[in-house]
Amino acid sequence: MAKDTHKGDKAEDFPRGATGFLGPDDAGPLPGTDLRTFRTALYEAARVAGGTVGEVEERTYPRTFHTASVLDRAGETVVLCHAHHPWIAFASQRRNWYDEEFLVPPPWARAFTDEGLTVLGRERLTTPLTAVDTSALTRDEWRGIRLYHLTTLGGVLFNAFD
């Protein structure tokens, strides 16, 4: 099983662009994850899994993530790639936003870390917001969190609120 490589430092939970929103004092566009790196890792993951790459769907506003899948003997595993930070998460089905629906990273998730992406484990993603430092979140971000009833770190990172 792949290890959760997110360091867990609370200061890292909400860097600029983590929620997909610009802050009131932000200038310029949000950072972006290199799609070529994600695709390279995705195809390597499918090879290691003995499977194939399913549909790859690039992020569309207001989602904060790209979606793809790996199809193998176990079925389909949905791979989420954050659009603004090199974070990878796994789910069993495609959705426009997530809160607690994350999977434990499969053994082939190492292909993503080998390409320099950070695999976020289910335990980290389902950490309640009450257990992370949310002081960097803006009033507008909190509006979206409340509107969608998000309760976890992963829910705030992999969202589709505008």
Side-chain angles (χ1 to χ4, degrees), residues 18-92:
T19 66
F21 278 93
L22 284 170
D25 298 325
D26 284 338
L30 292 174
T33 300
D34 181 22
L35 275 174
R36 189 175 324 157
T37 300
F38 173 57
R39 285 179 184 268
T40 299
L42 181 64
Y43 279 90
E44 178 61 13
R47 186 192 68 73
V48 170
T52 59
V53 172
E55 181 183 359
V56 178
E57 185 180 348
E58 288 189 31
R59 170 207 190 258
T60 55
Y61 182 82
R63 280 192 332 195
T64 60
F65 55 94
H66 310 289
T67 308
S69 62
V70 171
L71 308 164
D72 63 9
R73 287 183 211 100
E76 179 180 38
T77 301
V78 176
V79 183
L80 310 174
C81 176
H82 198 277
H84 306 295
H85 293 281
W87 300 326
I88 301 295
F90 301 92
S92 61

Side-chain angles (χ1 to χ4, degrees), residues 110-121:
R110 171 110 192 203
F112 295 97
T113 58
D114 289 349
E115 287 294 324
L117 301 167
T118 301
V119 172
L120 301 177

Side-chain angles (χ1 to χ4, degrees), residues 66-145:
H66 310 289
T67 308
S69 62
V70 171
L71 308 164
D72 63 9
R73 287 183 211 100
E76 179 180 38
T77 301
V78 176
V79 183
L80 310 174
C81 176
H82 198 277
H84 306 295
H85 293 281
W87 300 326
I88 301 295
F90 301 92
S92 61
Q93 55 185 288
R94 291 173 186 263
R95 298 179 54 143
N96 282 329
W97 54 273
Y98 295 83
D99 194 35
E100 294 185 4
E101 301 81 11
F102 300 99
L103 297 176
V104 171
W108 42 262
R110 171 110 192 203
F112 295 97
T113 58
D114 289 349
E115 287 294 324
L117 301 167
T118 301
V119 172
L120 301 177
R122 183 180 193 291
E123 184 177 338
R124 183 72 184 138
L125 290 164
T126 58
T127 300
L129 284 177
T130 56
V132 297
D133 180 358
T134 58
S135 61
L137 296 175
T138 67
R139 181 179 305 143
D140 288 337
E141 290 168 320
W142 274 111
R143 262 187 234 135
I145 290 166

